[in-house]
Amino acid sequence: ILEGGAQDDMLGYWVGSAGNVDGDQDAEGDPLHDILIGAPFMDVRAGRVYLVFGRSRAAWGAVGTVYNVATMTDAVSLVGEGPGYTAGTNLAGIGDFNMDTRDDFVVGSPQWNMDPADPFLVSYAGPGRAYILFGRDRAGWTAVSGSTLAAANVRFLGEPGNVSFGYLAVPAGDVDGDPDGAPELLIG
């Protein structure tokens, strides 16, 4: 059981598989898949994304054990760029987007750059932003833990106005059929 770091943080608003973003394997050489958990109302609604690293079944302990994602030693978090931006509203593993053998993931922040004078006006939306984070080893993830999503490898910005870009982002597979086999991404 995973619980949030703060009351009303909306932990679990979106949950998904990150794939194997750190490249870790179990004793048999099988990949240990990692989990993404969004908490879009954390940090004055800047939003927070937790990346919980995969581990063997035995390492999770007894059924019913409660873990707080904010204090887990094998999890990292990334924070939205500003109050009201709701990062973590959507997130998804997208496969090996940059073709480096580690899986990557996308995070949506649909209210990015909303009016800072009133970050809690629910009917207002910013242009939105989506972030791609490339896989890296565990030390690399630890180094960025607690950083804002401004440190993402790729950032996409929505059109001007209230479009809420990044509200939904999903992997599309290799739809263009080019020889590199790299997956594509749909963002709305």
Side-chain angles (χ1 to χ4, degrees), residues 9-15 37-41 88-90 167:
D9 62 7
M10 297 287 290
L11 180 81
Y13 185 86
W14 203 277
V15 177
I37 305 171
F41 285 12
T89 298
N90 180 270
Y167 189 78

Side-chain angles (χ1 to χ4, degrees), residues 4-142:
Q7 184 175 348
D8 299 324
D9 62 7
M10 297 287 290
L11 180 81
Y13 185 86
W14 203 277
V15 177
S17 171
N20 187 10
V21 299
D22 62 355
D24 284 357
Q25 299 177 344
D26 66 13
E28 288 83 38
D30 297 322
L32 292 171
H33 289 269
D34 310 309
I35 302 168
L36 293 166
I37 305 171
F41 285 12
M42 188 81 169
D43 302 307
V44 195
R45 292 190 183 190
R48 188 175 287 251
V49 175
Y50 293 96
L51 172 62
V52 179
F53 298 112
R55 44 169 118 160
S56 69
R57 180 173 166 78
W60 280 105
V63 173
T65 302
V66 177
Y67 298 93
N68 185 309
V69 293
T71 59
M72 288 179 72
T73 57
D74 53 355
V76 296
S77 67
L78 297 158
V79 183
E81 290 188 82
Y85 293 0
T86 63
T89 298
N90 180 270
L91 36 82
I94 56 174
D96 188 4
F97 195 74
N98 64 339
M99 304 303 291
D100 68 349
T101 71
R102 288 196 172 109
D103 289 332
D104 310 307
F105 63 92
V106 62
V107 174
S109 184
Q111 294 183 349
W112 181 87
N113 204 27
M114 68 180 296
D115 183 2
D118 193 358
F120 300 107
L121 185 59
V122 176
S123 63
Y124 182 85
R129 188 169 259 189
Y131 307 87
I132 294 179
L133 291 104
F134 296 152
R136 57 195 81 182
D137 62 20
R138 188 76 62 100
W141 284 114
T142 301

